[in-house]
Amino acid sequence: MAISINGRDVALPDDPRVSLADLLRDDLHLTGTKIGCNQGGCGACTVLLDGARVLSCLTLAVQAEGRRVTTIEGLAEADQLHPLQAAFIAQDGFQCGYCTPGQICAAEALLRELAEGLPSYVTADITAPAPLSAEEIRERMSGNLCRCGAHPGIVAAILQVAEERAA
Amino acid sequence: MIPFSYSRAGTAEQATAAAASGHRLLGGGTNLVDLMRRGVEQPERLVDVTGLSDDIRPTPQGGLMIGGAVRNAALAGHPAVRREYPVLSRAVLAGASAQIRNMATVAGNIMQRTRCAYFTDAATRGCNKRSPGSGCDAQGGFSRYHAILGGSSACIATHPSDMCVALAALDAQVHLASAAGLRVVPLVEFHRLPGDAPHLDTVLQPGEIITALELPPPPAAMRSAYRKVRDRASYAFALVSVAACVTVDRGTLTDIRLAFGGIAPKPWRALRAEEALRGTPATPQAIAAALALDFAEAKPLDGNAFKLPLASRTAMAVLADLIGDAA
């Protein structure tokens, strides 16, 4: 009866009402994960569940039993910046920073989805691997809102890392 | 949220037994958990059914059988769906966000509540769907997202699924199980119109669960498209959406199936327009005239009357593309 969170086994909460976001923040003090709307509208609480991006505010912690959760704290190696963290800094991908952990977790999953050739709503030919473009990244990041309006920098940062990985 | 118990069902038999004993079924939770937190839904017992079938496999008839626990993202990304039923991939990809599509299940998408902002505002608003007899604050309210067809004086909420609009156009069948056995219901008959009982969204009976969704084989040379019109470019419910599946032979529409989202309490098949257009060249004027047959019974409000011309023009544009591409 445990969840693996950033490589560490964590006991399930006794009360099934506890969301994964609340478990991370209140019980484990992994406060990188943010709660914006708490109703699935903003993406600030995005984490990776078995590598796939999900909303931790709408996930009951008990639903994650036996699964692997990665938060912003578990993304980078030791004290190194993750390439996306470095790119967000280089490209001015944030202002207040509140949405940034969710943006970066979502972006990490997005890069994997693109590498797997998965289509989006704006992909012209959905039977072929989707191309890399700013339009594709904007569509695929639409679940993460930024009230500061740093979206141009966010898209540029993700494009930068996608190009680095493709090189 | 009120306290509730949580358990998991590993088989359809366990899930039907739990449903029969009053458990609410939990898929990805993207609608139910949200409504529970808002106090709109107050189940005391949840059974998690995401461990049930998440297979997508070919049927002997040449269609596809899609397990109820298949995640929306897995459905949209499946090679056979992308190749044979592109309208379904496109519709799923038009819905919600990447995060929600990773969580949401196919059965849960079908079972998400037909709803509006007055339904979800449990603290201050009257809603016959949430509390039967408490009135409908949407009537005379902000009706931009409400139904123009199929509503009643009790309720004018819309079913927000994009996936279901494509399924309606594809003649999908919903497979149901209960202790009494199995039955199959066409997707277009699965959701109810509100009438005087808007708290009932579907024909699902107590103790019954969705086990799978069946797609019939795609007609040879079928061309299909899904187009969604909304207030922002992505991650918003449809004002109007159109799913169209057509077969074109030398400029003539030999087959057409047309469904709309965003305009009714359920995915809306335009059967009269289909009948009028089948076997014709489907000129823009003919399409507009054919759609007028389906929209004749529309009861638009001041806030959503724009949906009538928008739905008609969106369908005309989608069909023009499909017919033009086939030429």
Side-chain angles (χ1 to χ4, degrees):
Chain A
M1 292 282 279
I3 310 170
S4 169
I5 295 178
N6 297 334
R8 184 162 68 92
D9 278 354
V10 172
L12 289 175
D14 294 329
D15 190 332
R17 287 179 294 181
V18 176
S19 71
L20 180 57
D22 287 337
L23 177 76
L24 293 171
R25 292 180 52 83
D26 297 347
D27 295 359
L28 306 177
H29 307 295
L30 292 170
T31 52
T33 300
K34 298 295 189 280
I35 296 176
C37 67
N38 214 23
Q39 53 182 238
C42 77
C45 68
T46 301
V47 298
L48 305 180
L49 187 59
D50 292 335
R53 45 178 162 166
V54 299
L55 300 174
S56 61
C57 80
L58 291 184
T59 302
L60 300 175
V62 288
Q63 288 176 283
E65 182 189 355
R67 301 179 71 182
R68 184 169 45 86
V69 175
T70 307
T71 70
I72 188 70
E73 290 92 346
L75 216 52
E77 297 289 330
D79 286 337
Q80 300 279 312
L81 285 177
H82 183 278
L84 279 165
Q85 291 172 316
F88 268 62
I89 294 169
Q91 300 286 352
D92 265 341
F94 55 89
Q95 193 178 106
C96 82
Y98 194 82
C99 71
T100 312
Q103 299 275 3
I104 289 177
C105 286
E108 175 59 28
L110 176 159
L111 293 172
R112 213 195 58 188
E113 291 157 15
L114 264 180
E116 290 173 1
L118 292 170
S120 82
Y121 183 64
V122 300
T123 308
D125 177 2
I126 61 170
T127 61
L132 176 63
S133 69
E135 185 193 18
E136 282 282 354
I137 289 174
R138 278 194 293 271
E139 164 60 25
R140 289 164 190 264
M141 288 298 289
S142 69
N144 292 81
L145 306 188
C146 171
R147 286 288 299 270
C148 301
H151 295 284
I154 292 167
V155 172
I158 298 169
L159 261 178
Q160 178 192 317
V161 176
E163 284 163 0
E164 286 166 7
R165 288 193 188 177
Chain B
M1 273 191 244
I2 65 164
F4 57 86
S5 68
Y6 171 89
S7 59
R8 294 187 184 200
T11 65
E13 290 71 28
Q14 289 172 2
T16 53
S21 63
H23 288 70
R24 280 294 292 274
L25 272 53
L26 177 68
T30 55
N31 185 217
L32 182 55
V33 171
D34 181 34
L35 293 176
M36 286 165 61
R37 187 171 286 138
R38 295 174 193 239
V40 175
E41 296 271 18
Q42 302 191 316
E44 293 175 5
R45 288 178 290 178
L46 290 184
V47 59
D48 185 331
V49 290
T50 54
L52 271 59
S53 170
D54 64 353
D55 270 355
I56 299 178
R57 54 188 161 76
T59 63
Q61 295 77 27
L64 280 183
M65 190 71 79
I66 300 161
V70 169
R71 307 283 176 170
N72 283 17
L75 177 64
H78 193 276
V81 178
R82 288 157 66 182
R83 191 176 58 243
E84 307 289 340
Y85 305 94
V87 64
L88 180 55
S89 271
R90 292 242 181 243
V92 173
L93 291 169
S97 66
Q99 287 92 324
I100 289 174
R101 294 191 294 271
N102 278 335
M103 301 167 72
T105 63
V106 164
N109 186 311
I110 297 171
M111 286 301 296
Q112 68 179 303
R113 298 302 308 269
T114 305
R115 61 191 186 275
C116 76
Y118 298 97
F119 170 73
T120 52
D121 185 353
T124 67
R125 295 296 189 166
C127 170
N128 293 318
K129 178 183 286 291
R130 173 167 31 77
S131 321
S134 66
C136 173
D137 281 5
Q139 313 273 1
F142 182 72
S143 57
R144 184 171 179 80
Y145 297 99
H146 290 84
I148 54 174
L149 278 166
S152 70
S153 58
C155 182
I156 50 173
T158 50
H159 192 259
S161 169
D162 292 288
M163 181 187 84
C164 288
V165 181
L167 292 176
L170 288 167
D171 287 327
Q173 307 278 322
V174 187
H175 285 241
L176 307 175
S178 70
L182 310 175
R183 66 178 178 130
V184 179
V185 176
L187 186 277
V188 289
E189 293 171 19
F190 186 77
H191 296 99
R192 286 182 75 259
L193 293 179
D196 58 5
H199 59 290
L200 300 173
D201 289 346
T202 72
V203 300
L204 196 76
Q205 297 298 305
E208 206 169 33
I209 70 166
I210 297 175
T211 56
L213 193 62
E214 182 176 359
L215 301 181
M222 178 185 84
R223 313 181 58 79
S224 68
Y226 187 77
R227 190 172 298 177
K228 181 175 183 181
V229 183
R230 41 191 157 173
D231 275 330
R232 61 183 182 193
S234 183
Y235 199 16
F237 288 136
L239 292 166
V240 163
S241 70
V242 174
C245 301
V246 303
T247 311
V248 183
D249 182 21
R250 285 163 293 183
T252 297
L253 268 183
T254 54
D255 189 33
I256 171 170
R257 285 169 289 153
L258 192 60
F260 290 88
I263 62 171
K266 58 183 285 186
W268 197 266
R269 269 289 285 269
L271 294 172
R272 290 174 193 157
E274 293 176 14
E275 180 66 27
L277 293 171
R278 197 170 287 118
T280 77
T283 61
Q285 295 81 355
I287 295 170
L291 285 168
L293 302 172
D294 286 282
F295 294 162
E297 288 150 25
K299 294 196 178 85
L301 301 163
D302 286 349
N304 65 14
F306 70 94
K307 286 187 177 181
L308 270 173
L310 183 62
S312 185
R313 288 172 194 163
T314 306
M316 288 165 69
V318 167
L319 291 174
D321 282 354
L322 288 172
I323 295 166
D325 287 351

